[in-house]
Amino acid sequence: MTDKVLVIGAGGQIGTELLEKLNEIHGSSNVVAADLNNSPAFSNNPYEKLDVLDKESLFNVVKKHQVNQVYLLAALLSATAEKNPLFGWKLNMEGLFNVLELAKEKIIDKVYWPSSIAVFGPTTPKVNTPQYTVMEPSTVYGISKQAGERWCEYYFNKYNVDVRSIRYPGLIGWKSAPGGGTTDYAVHIFHEALKNKKYECFLSENTTLPMMYMPDAIKATVDIMHAPAEQIKIRSSYNLTGISFNPKEIAEEIKKHIPDFSISYKIDFRQEIADSWPKSVDDHEAREHWGWAEQFNLSDMTSDMLLNLSKIK
Ligand code: NAD
Ligand code: SER
């Protein structure tokens, strides 16, 4: 049977790029893009204007297109959710329940839902953070992701829901803008480097965080969703690592291409969020269970970002 896929939040940073990959795999007519607003990124896809909090409309979209797989990307990210904690909780949790319930009722048969390094908190070991460790997230975003992970595992154990998840690090890509996270600086820095040869960073120079280039994140997403079910042994969410760096290190890497680039620092509320997250994570379970391996290091990513952004600027 041909899979019919629904991507909710398709117009965001990840959705824009994931849609391209899913179109290649399933054919664009089998990939339905859903979001609050339309976007040129969906021009090849069936589009549904959809609020994931509207359970009835979600059901109708799934039925109308005979969807059997859902990628749920709609969420408030860390920085935005701190500004509106109750709505962050509502969107991140109720959206997930609405999709998990469709899978529990066997209306759909597979769910992808991303978690984040934000599930960890200030009391978590910061270097090579293990899959299983102390998790006391201090942001509303992190609390919602931690709770979401527990619920995903619960729906798998109790209702045999085939839900798969990755704890993405901060994601960096050139095709789409980031949507209100603490790691957004690592995308903005490239745009500003090409435009103004300088960047004012909202995190301090030594703030090391786990990051990943978007092609690697898309590959991981597609790989985990296409792995045989028995290989997915963790049904909460998998640690996943790509590259760990701080603002000073990425600025040095950019300077190799743009020698007169300079970085300055003006710290804001996002520093406290970043300080509560790991510097690097141990993802050996993802490597062993379903064969995860990243392709891009800091140097490869920087060259590729600058090359592609300079073509479209
Ligand atoms: P984003 O903010 O760029 O995109 C989210 C999309 O969801 C937007 O297009 C938005 O319009 C849409 N949306 C918001 N509310 C909606 C609603 N009620 N109904 C339907 N659509 C709605 O986010 P992203 O960076 O693409 O992240 C996608 C997922 O990946 C989120 O769950 C996020 O927590 C997770 N994640 C992202 C990163 C990252 O670095 N980008 C890292 C870790 C986890
Ligand atoms: N990139 C995300 C954020 O900063 C991490 O989940 O919110």
Side-chain angles (χ1 to χ4, degrees), residues 246-258:
N246 61 39
K248 193 176 169 189
E249 287 164 340
I250 194 172
E252 288 303 320
E253 201 59 45
I254 290 172
K255 271 191 207 173
K256 291 180 186 167
H257 301 260
I258 306 172

Side-chain angles (χ1 to χ4, degrees), residues 77-79 115-118 141 168-171 180-184 277:
L77 275 77
S78 59
S115 184
S116 159
I117 51 163
Y141 176 69
Y168 288 133
L171 301 182
T182 301
T183 56
D184 292 11
W277 291 352

